[in-house]
Amino acid sequence: MLVTDLPLWPDGTATAIGSMPGTDVPEAARIVVGELPQLPHLPELPGRGVGADLIGRTAALLVDLAVELVPSGYRVSARPGRDHRRGVDLLRTDLDALEEAVDSAGARPAVIKVQAAGPWTLTSEIELRTGHKVLTDTGALREFAASLAEGLRAHAAEVSHRLGIPTVVQLDEPGLPAVLAGGVPTPSGYGTVPAVPDSD
């Protein structure tokens, strides 16, 4: 569904960035649907640990790419392992809870929002097997962006299908300032990755 096909919401409509405190998934879904009835979002609860944070959750959406948690953070892995499966399972649990909350609310919202890390933030936080950030490899960066786009398309379609309402996607880029300023650390921690040109 194109953005232009989405219903317009009235002035003053509120939504949230996505992350919420706590670990109670059904309660978070009820709060979101109850407090943001015109534009609720799929809540993410990073307090649950690996796979529930912005990067782990977004990595769970990737198509044909997988990550694992190592001491230095998330790293590309050859095949989906425990950490990747946990992220997928947490996302499915969250969607189940949101579906139940929407069904119980009575009035259905006109649209639902899902959110994920954008490609610059994602690739500045995930390491290649060499320890360097995905961001430093042009081919890998392109592959991650394409995988994320396909994963988000499938995710938004599933959410729309299950809830019976259109879905909008919000890309969060909290790492973009560091990417543009050359502030992403190298594996040694003594240097930084060169700034990505604004045009890119």
Side-chain angles (χ1 to χ4, degrees), residues 86-160:
R86 176 174 163 74
V88 171
D89 290 344
L90 289 171
L91 187 57
R92 191 155 312 286
T93 298
D94 294 349
L95 185 51
D96 290 343
L98 182 63
E99 184 177 16
E100 185 175 321
V102 167
D103 289 344
S104 301
R108 295 183 89 69
V111 65
I112 196 88
K113 180 180 76 73
V114 296
Q115 59 284 325
W120 295 111
T121 295
L122 185 67
T123 59
S124 70
E125 292 290 334
I126 297 178
E127 299 174 352
L128 297 165
R129 289 190 203 100
T130 60
H132 293 279
K133 301 294 186 185
V134 171
L135 175 69
T136 62
D137 183 313
T138 305
L141 174 60
R142 194 175 306 116
E143 187 177 357
F144 263 75
S147 175
L148 177 59
E150 179 61 21
L152 283 170
R153 185 204 59 74
H155 178 52
E158 180 185 2
V159 172
S160 289

Side-chain angles (χ1 to χ4, degrees), residues 30-114:
R30 284 191 294 273
I31 289 171
V32 165
V33 171
E35 298 297 322
L36 304 167
Q38 295 168 319
L39 187 54
H41 65 282
L42 178 61
E44 59 188 46
L45 304 175
R48 293 177 295 170
V50 175
D53 59 300
L54 179 63
I55 300 302
R57 186 180 185 91
T58 302
L61 297 171
L62 295 172
V63 175
D64 297 328
L65 292 172
V67 301
E68 62 185 347
L69 192 65
V70 296
S72 56
Y74 286 103
R75 179 174 287 176
V76 175
S77 63
R79 65 188 64 79
R82 181 184 69 224
D83 298 329
H84 184 85
R85 286 191 301 273
R86 176 174 163 74
V88 171
D89 290 344
L90 289 171
L91 187 57
R92 191 155 312 286
T93 298
D94 294 349
L95 185 51
D96 290 343
L98 182 63
E99 184 177 16
E100 185 175 321
V102 167
D103 289 344
S104 301
R108 295 183 89 69
V111 65
I112 196 88
K113 180 180 76 73
V114 296

